Amino acid sequence: MTEHLKEAGYSGQIDIGGSRSPVTYKLKACREDDGAFHVAVSLTTSRDWLLKHGFRRQATLVRQGGYQTAVHFEETLNVADNISVTLRADDAVIASMDELKRKFPELQTG
């Protein structure tokens, strides 16, 4: 059975080729039966801002503390997509609590 550890929103920035915009990103951490920790990272942002800055499928999320995480859109973004789009990172699979704290220090606060 999966043990839910924490789910919270944090302030960060989305970066596309050096152009940045503030965003709120969400981290969802849980512990699986095998003892590994899984962290899902997602954010919702403006389709128009993304397109204006040349986004097609991938950008960089700059998390609290300057940590960078690649985020992507499932398909190539275009004007037919919703005005707000959700970008996701590949789920992080982490072996230990120490590694979890090191890679996602924002999970320790609040």
Side-chain angles (χ1 to χ4, degrees):
M1 187 160 141
T2 300
E3 176 188 358
H4 178 79
L5 299 176
K6 185 169 188 176
E7 183 173 345
Y10 304 91
S11 296
Q13 294 182 326
I14 187 166
D15 184 312
I16 300 171
S19 295
R20 290 188 175 188
S21 179
V23 293
T24 298
Y25 63 97
K26 183 170 73 170
L27 296 180
K28 181 178 179 181
C30 60
R31 184 182 351 223
E32 297 295 328
D33 290 339
D34 62 4
F37 297 93
H38 292 248
V39 181
V41 180
S42 64
L43 65 93
T44 300
T45 192
S46 164
R47 173 203 67 200
D48 294 341
W49 186 90
L50 291 171
L51 290 172
K52 179 180 175 186
H53 291 88
F55 178 87
R56 302 302 269 168
R57 293 192 66 160
Q58 188 166 318
T60 300
L61 168 63
V62 181
R63 299 180 3 239
Q64 289 182 355
Y67 296 91
Q68 296 188 2
T69 302
V71 291
H72 59 272
F73 189 64
E74 292 301 316
E75 300 173 11
T76 301
L77 185 68
N78 65 58
V79 294
D81 290 302
N82 289 332
I83 193 82
S84 291
V85 295
T86 299
L87 306 180
R88 300 184 193 289
D90 292 333
D91 283 2
V93 180
I94 300 169
S96 70
M97 181 61 83
D98 287 341
E99 185 181 359
L100 178 69
K101 290 177 181 178
R102 190 172 60 254
K103 289 188 175 182
F104 294 95
E106 58 266 58
L107 290 172
Q108 298 177 64
T109 60

